[in-house]
Amino acid sequence: MRIRLLAVGQKMPDWVTEGYQEYAKRLQDDVRLELVEIPAAKRGRNHEVELWKRQEAEALQAAIHPSDRIVALDVLGKPWSTEDLRDRTAQWLQGGQNIALLVGGPDGLDPELIRMASERWSLSALTLPHPLVRIVVAEQIYRAWTLLKGHPYHR
């Protein structure tokens, strides 16, 4: 199974890239985590938030494969415990479907993307910086996978 983290934003600091890669590389053959960086909409002085979100949504939609199960990371989504994520990962593996995890830009996800999603996942009620979200998601996917495999990482 392939889990693709489709995230708006490019040119992250080295600590973000290294943190993400540390967990992504630990995953084995049955679960792979891939990062797809989507350019953020060019923002000007006019506060055209809906236009920017729509532009980012179009780029995200272009990166979603037709057979992907879409999960939107959204503050209004449902919080999942590590065990919830483990159970979802097991279901995703059994279903044989690849997963597209969507992370919006500074203004969030366009409502159309949220409607397209099968699930909405909230990492926290806190507003997290988007670079940090990449690392948190990678670590939690790895943690869920280790639980499935009986690995001692999760103690």
Side-chain angles (χ1 to χ4, degrees), residues 5-150:
L5 181 59
L6 308 179
V8 174
Q10 297 175 302
K11 300 178 185 170
M12 294 294 125
D14 289 344
W15 66 269
V16 174
T17 303
E18 291 167 9
Y20 169 84
Q21 289 176 349
E22 177 61 33
Y23 293 106
K25 74 179 181 184
R26 292 182 187 188
L27 292 164
Q28 301 295 319
D29 296 333
D30 60 344
V31 175
R32 290 178 313 188
L33 181 60
E34 298 174 10
L35 175 64
V36 178
E37 293 184 322
I38 305 296
K42 189 166 187 154
R43 282 155 170 79
R45 291 181 184 231
N46 298 337
H47 293 290
E48 300 179 57
V49 173
E50 295 310 312
L51 173 64
W52 301 331
K53 286 171 41 173
R54 187 71 225 136
Q55 290 171 347
E56 292 165 354
E58 289 170 4
L60 284 163
Q61 285 176 315
I64 298 169
H65 296 151
S67 61
D68 285 349
R69 179 180 183 88
I70 301 169
V71 178
L73 276 78
D74 179 28
V75 71
L76 299 177
K78 184 176 180 188
W80 297 347
S81 68
T82 299
E83 291 75 13
D84 291 336
L85 182 56
R86 175 204 57 207
D87 295 345
R88 278 179 171 77
T89 303
Q91 291 169 358
W92 295 340
L93 277 165
Q94 289 175 352
Q97 204 173 13
N98 290 325
I99 307 301
L101 299 174
L102 307 183
V103 179
D107 302 298
L109 288 170
D110 184 78
E112 179 60 26
L113 288 174
I114 292 173
R115 281 191 290 277
M116 290 174 57
S118 300
E119 299 173 89
R120 292 167 65 183
W121 176 19
S122 174
L123 293 181
S124 173
L126 299 171
T127 300
L128 299 174
H130 288 214
L132 186 58
V133 166
R134 296 174 185 208
I135 299 169
V136 170
V137 168
E139 192 279 337
Q140 286 300 299
I141 296 289
Y142 175 69
R143 183 177 296 273
W145 178 80
T146 62
L147 280 168
L148 286 173
K149 299 298 179 181

